[in-house]
């Protein structure tokens, strides 16, 4: 179901699913979750991001003690995916925290995988049947990175990244956005969005109807009040880089 939602093909949700008032409004994260250069100069132990490492003691010791530059790892090294995904998950964690602080439902941002996911062995971080020209990284579905059923069991208030483009979404939502900026931050570019269906272009969103600016270091719990009259906006959007500058 989640993949069909991401593709804009699921028609099993009622109108209340798309109702901003019933959802407390929506929060939209824009801009790349992992920026170029974000790991520049960083050194990590090669196995530190792994959930579990199996093998001989010599192999596991090497992974845990080998200090590497993650940006220099080959593209087909799973540790590259795990290291970059740490930053992606941190951005998503912060977005969920802001959504909770403002009483909103998070529109999941487009997600990136630096390695494919498969129940069996991978070859060069790709399924064995994948074409050799398959590029890494790639835009991937939520279930490549998370156990979707656990999110559903916990009733985490989120919507798919394609939510605003769904046929059931009120077109006014796309123009009823308020942009939250953090003073001194850079302009955030839109993150790439996958087509709703193969060959379908993604229409550009109109500019936000207004902007609100808060000081760097503003606490998440204070942002709702800082929005003033815009706190009731159907869609609040914030740049991923700006989100790292509030607390």
């Amino acid at each position: 179901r989640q993949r069909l939602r991401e593709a804009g093909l699921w028609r099993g949700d009622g109108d209340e699913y798309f109702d901003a008032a019933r959802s407390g409004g929506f929060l939209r994260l824009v801009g790349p979750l992992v920026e170029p250069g974000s790991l520049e100069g960083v050194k990590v132990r090669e196995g530190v991001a792994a959930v579990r490492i199996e093998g001989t003691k010599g192999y596991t010791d090497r992974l845990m003690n080998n200090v590497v530059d993650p940006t220099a790892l080959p593209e087909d090294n799973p540790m590259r995916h795990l290291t970059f995904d740490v930053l992606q998950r941190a951005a998503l964690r912060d977005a969920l925290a802001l959504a909770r602080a403002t009483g909103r439902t998070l529109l999941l941002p487009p997600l990136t995988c630096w390695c494919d996911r498969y129940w069996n062995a991978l070859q060069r971080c790709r399924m064995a049947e994948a074409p050799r020209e398959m590029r890494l990284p790639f835009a991937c579905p939520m279930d490549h990175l998370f156990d979707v059923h656990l999110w559903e069991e916990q009733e985490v208030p989120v919507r798919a990244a394609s939510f605003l483009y769904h046929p059931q979404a009120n077109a006014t939502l796309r123009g009823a956005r308020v942009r939250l900026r953090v003073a001194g931050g850079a302009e955030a570019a839109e993150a790439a969005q996958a087509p709703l269906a193969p060959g379908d272009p993604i229409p550009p969103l109109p500019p936000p109807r207004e902007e609100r600016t808060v000081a760097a270091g503003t606490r998440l719990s204070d942002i709702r009040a800082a929005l003033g009259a815009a706190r009731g906006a159907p869609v609040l959007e914030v740049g991923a880089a700006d989100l790292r500058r509030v607390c």
Side-chain angles (χ1 to χ4, degrees):
R1 181 173 64 180
Q2 180 63 19
R3 287 204 182 187
L4 290 174
R5 281 175 170 162
E6 291 173 348
L9 300 175
W10 182 257
R11 298 296 189 269
D13 297 314
D15 291 339
E16 66 279 1
Y17 186 82
F18 299 88
D19 191 317
R22 294 189 184 186
S23 303
F26 301 106
L27 176 68
R28 180 173 182 257
L29 194 60
V30 299
L33 304 189
V34 180
E35 296 186 21
S38 54
L39 286 176
E40 186 175 350
V42 173
K43 302 292 184 181
V44 299
R45 286 186 172 86
E46 189 172 358
V48 72
V51 175
R52 181 177 180 180
I53 296 177
E54 296 179 332
T56 65
K57 187 176 185 304
Y59 172 75
T60 58
D61 285 350
R62 180 182 66 79
L63 284 183
M64 292 308 300
N65 296 320
N66 187 31
V67 178
V68 298
D69 174 358
T71 64
L73 291 172
E75 70 164 17
D76 57 359
N77 187 320
M79 296 304 170
R80 180 180 175 87
H81 164 82
L82 293 172
T83 303
F84 279 97
D85 189 43
V86 166
L87 303 180
Q88 182 166 238
R89 289 171 183 265
L92 191 53
R93 173 204 62 201
D94 293 346
L96 284 166
L98 178 57
R100 182 171 184 175
T102 55
R104 292 176 173 270
T105 295
L106 178 65
L107 305 184
L108 291 169
L111 300 171
T112 299
C113 287
W114 289 262
C115 191
D116 207 348
R117 180 173 180 173
Y118 185 46
W119 64 272
N120 206 334
L122 293 172
Q123 297 180 5
R124 300 170 50 249
C125 254
R126 301 162 174 84
M127 291 177 58
E129 298 82 5
R132 292 191 61 83
E133 62 272 15
M134 174 184 171
R135 293 186 178 183
L136 298 176
F138 63 96
C140 59
M142 181 184 182
D143 61 55
H144 265 38
L145 299 171
F146 301 99
D147 292 322
V148 177
H149 72 279
L150 296 180
W151 288 56
E152 294 176 343
E153 288 174 5
Q154 296 297 318
E155 297 183 345
V156 181
V158 296
R159 299 289 188 268
S162 60
F163 177 81
L164 290 180
Y165 301 98
H166 193 280
Q168 285 178 257
N170 191 322
T172 59
L173 281 177
R174 293 190 280 274
R177 297 165 11 253
V178 170
R179 182 61 174 269
L180 175 66
R181 297 193 183 278
V182 178
E187 181 76 17
E190 292 280 341
Q193 180 65 274
L196 298 183
D200 288 351
I202 293 296
L205 290 176
R209 73 181 188 191
E210 59 181 299
E211 296 184 358
R212 286 287 190 274
T213 301
V214 299
T218 298
R219 293 188 300 181
L220 297 181
S221 57
D222 294 332
I223 288 180
R224 189 170 190 171
L227 291 172
R231 74 180 65 177
V235 181
L236 176 68
E237 64 181 28
V238 61
D242 271 346
L243 188 53
R244 291 193 289 272
R245 303 177 63 243
V246 294
C247 57

